[in-house]
Amino acid sequence: MPGKLVVVSNRIPTGAAPSGGLVVAVHDALRGSGGLWVGAHPDPAGPGDDGLTEIARDSYTRCAFHLTEEEYDNYYLGFANSVLWPLCHGRTDLVEIERRYEETYLAVNRRVARLLADRIGDDDQVWVHDYHFLPLAQELRRLGVVARIGFFLHIPFPPLGALSTLPTPDDFAAWLSAFDLVGLQTRGDTARCLEMFRSDPRAEFMRDGTVKFRDRVVAVRSFPIGIETDAFAELARAPEEQAALGADMGEKLVIGVDRLDYSKGLPNRFRAFGAFLDDRAPDAPRASLLQIAPPTRERVAAYRAIRTELEEIAGRLNGAHSELDWTPIRYIHHAVDRAVLAGLYRRAGACLVTSLADGMNLVAKEYVAAQDPEDPGVLILSRFAGAAEDMTEALLVNPYDIGEMATAIATAFDMPLEERRARHAACLEAVRETDVSVWASNFLSCLSTCVPTMRMPERRASAGPEMTRPVEKEPS
Ligand code: ADP
């Protein structure tokens, strides 16, 4: 009899009816198994409360743990977002090493493990999300949890050399090896993770492609995440949302939608749009860039710096190119309702995704899903976004090459209808193949086939045959 599903994620929905692709997919998976979802409480800590607070219960239970202000600063803003985030996004220059960050990160994971351990049965499956909880399985194992534990990393897997930036670099592989399954966004991420294990003397490769690390065995696989494709397309078709959109955005509209993060390549995107404006013919139709980018993590210095930089570039370009009745760059600093966003995507003739590093990039998938297949817009997509691995018919660009991006904007606006349709159809197929419901069920069914190390035959009696025999290199 299979047990329940236990999900751990930093964010947890507090409302009665969860919305948003990932949240809905996890919600559906939990409903099927009557499970438990645990995450950080969105409000600052309740006084002295270090237990779990139930925040919702229907066919499964949602519980939150509280972070003190100090924990929020050191664990969330500190180790998670000033060490792991820049490290995984190729910005080791922004990594801030502080002992208290690492200590608090480990302490929070230890506490969450203590809160969870008694609630996890041997036949349950535990699904841990993202870089906030890398050491969680190791802590749960220390407390005797033998259930299958899977991990999914929503951000890029760091290159081998960058791991040396961590205060204790050897811990990273040890943390991951306490899971039974490590899920990553792309084949490139999987290759980097396996490279880390391959270069570690504590690891050896098994005949079935799993990694034996000391006394544990872990599988590493890619599970590209997507969106709720049909639901998003439906949202974009809603006529009332179309009517609400401003009519004065110029004849040609290119859209960008991002959290204001240094990994998204926004300054170069603005510069590329400026170069496109410089190069266009005087009688060409007016073109506008609509950039929606609400600031995040503003207590981290690097996020304040990117905001200042971007405002300065937008101001300079608008000063140079605006006319009395037209502003070429519209830069909106707040979140936009999803239905309005879907309508804006459909209205835009092109979408710019110019990440310097990105685990997947769901905006790229949303833009494609929102298009009218008969008259679709063109996706301009960074080669460094995970989405580029499968969306090869987008206009792929190097986000460091401003001239190439400027040319891509012009190419998108001038692209013949037949080519737009063909490229869109190919991209849409890739979006459908990675629909978020497919992603969740693939991950969970793969986790269910993992043989937990604690229950391997050699643990119970003598060594088992296949799983303990190392091979020279992993099979293809
Ligand atoms: P990341 O997870 O790094 O923020 P993704 O592109 O993978 O980047 O996902 C971003 C999600 O947040 C998308 O679903 C996108 O629609 C949403 N989003 C980003 N910016 C805004 C905004 N200004 N208003 C509404 N939704 C937004």
Side-chain angles (χ1 to χ4, degrees), residues 210-350:
T210 55
V211 179
K212 183 167 186 289
F213 188 94
R214 289 182 171 152
D215 61 343
R216 296 207 49 83
V217 174
V218 58
V220 181
R221 304 259 188 286
S222 77
F223 301 90
I225 197 170
I227 60 169
E228 286 180 290
T229 315
D230 290 334
F232 202 81
E234 183 70 27
L235 207 56
R237 280 195 296 268
E240 60 273 24
E241 299 306 338
Q242 302 298 313
L245 305 179
D248 60 341
M249 277 188 278
E251 291 170 49
K252 302 276 188 187
L253 177 66
V254 56
I255 192 169
V257 178
D258 313 74
R259 277 180 310 99
L260 183 44
D261 193 291
Y262 49 78
S263 65
K264 303 291 182 184
L266 292 166
N268 276 2
R269 183 183 307 176
F270 279 20
R271 289 187 189 105
F273 188 70
F276 160 78
L277 292 178
D278 285 339
D279 292 347
R280 86 204 147 119
D283 57 347
R286 280 177 174 172
S288 304
L289 167 63
L290 174 63
Q291 177 63 55
I292 304 172
T296 52
R297 305 172 193 166
E298 287 212 279
R299 280 165 62 192
V300 178
Y303 287 81
R304 293 195 298 277
I306 185 79
R307 180 175 181 166
T308 308
E309 182 183 7
L310 210 52
E311 283 171 356
E312 191 266 325
I313 299 172
R316 188 158 36 79
L317 290 173
N318 274 337
H321 295 282
S322 290
E323 291 167 21
L324 287 175
D325 58 348
W326 172 60
T327 308
I329 298 182
R330 291 179 174 218
Y331 177 22
I332 297 176
H333 286 258
H334 51 79
V336 171
D337 177 81
R338 284 188 79 66
V340 174
L341 194 62
L344 284 169
Y345 283 140
R346 197 173 173 96
R347 156 87 171 75

Side-chain angles (χ1 to χ4, degrees), residues 12 24 47 73 169 181 273 280 293 318 360 363 365 382 398-399:
I12 183 161
V24 170
D73 286 350
L181 172 64
F273 188 70
R280 86 204 147 119
N318 274 337
M360 178 53 62
V363 166
K365 298 191 173 185
S382 163
N398 173 1

